[in-house]
Amino acid sequence: MKKVFPNEQLIPEVISLIEQGHTVTLPLRGFSMRPFLEDNRDKALLTKPDRLKVGDPVLAEVRPKFYVLHRIIAIDGDRVVLRGDGNLACEHCLQKDVKAAVIGFYRKKHNYIDRTDGLKWRLYSRIWLFLFPVRRYLLAFYRRVWIKCFGLI
């Protein structure tokens, strides 16, 4: 039997475990990291954040009790700018609000991890960040045409 908890209850527990030095596998909810990470399909392996870098996916509290798992697109001193791969708008937080770093993702229900420090993820990250000016059109095509014809990536 699968038990579902609201993020307001689950995420603080996840953060507590991470602060104690554990790694946590978290099922992903939402569509903000589309097209490569899907709602209720993929999972993120989280750990305590170390050195934050542009391009890193992180779990951050962007408003009190509101958490997102998005990619860092800029760091300016203590300020961090985040954007989901499937989003056009940015969110902001302070470095202290970054609660976890992502080591990798379990995608497509596989039992092996796509590591964020691997060549595949780094290459994907650079290309996707570079494509931001046309991302709106790529995401619209993905939602309206690709998924209907070919399914999820």
Side-chain angles (χ1 to χ4, degrees):
M1 181 169 125
K2 184 177 180 180
K3 187 133 176 132
V4 178
F5 295 94
N7 279 346
E8 300 80 34
Q9 290 178 326
L10 179 64
I11 300 297
E13 293 300 320
V14 167
I15 292 167
S16 175
L17 288 169
I18 289 168
E19 287 172 347
Q20 294 171 34
H22 299 282
T23 58
V24 177
T25 302
L26 183 67
L28 299 180
R29 296 303 323 247
F31 300 99
S32 67
M33 290 298 282
R34 252 188 179 169
F36 297 101
L37 298 173
E38 284 295 331
D39 175 60
N40 224 10
R41 180 191 76 179
D42 300 324
K43 300 176 198 165
L45 182 59
L46 306 172
T47 191
K48 197 176 233 181
D50 188 18
R51 281 186 307 137
L52 302 178
K53 304 185 300 291
V54 170
D56 287 350
V58 296
L59 176 69
E61 187 174 15
V62 294
R63 293 189 304 274
K65 297 183 181 173
F66 185 80
Y67 301 89
V68 296
L69 194 146
H70 288 169
R71 183 188 305 277
I72 295 174
I73 60 164
I75 300 173
D76 183 19
D78 197 34
R79 299 196 174 279
V80 178
V81 182
L82 306 162
R83 183 185 302 125
D85 287 353
N87 291 353
L88 300 174
C90 295
E91 285 146 329
H92 304 266
C93 69
L94 300 175
Q95 285 198 30
K96 70 177 181 60
D97 297 322
V98 174
K99 304 300 184 183
V102 179
I103 298 172
F105 296 99
Y106 294 97
R107 296 184 59 240
K108 300 180 182 181
K109 302 195 185 279
H110 291 141
N111 61 358
Y112 59 84
I113 192 166
D114 284 335
R115 292 190 56 90
T116 56
D117 61 356
L119 179 62
K120 177 180 170 183
W121 180 264
R122 287 192 328 247
L123 184 61
Y124 154 70
S125 297
R126 284 199 180 146
I127 291 170
W128 197 243
L129 288 172
F130 176 76
L131 289 173
F132 180 71
V134 296
R135 189 182 297 180
R136 170 187 312 269
Y137 307 107
L138 295 173
L139 289 168
F141 175 80
Y142 178 72
R143 281 191 318 270
R144 294 182 184 134
V145 178
W146 187 275
I147 292 175
K148 290 177 183 171
C149 295
F150 305 105
L152 301 172
I153 291 180

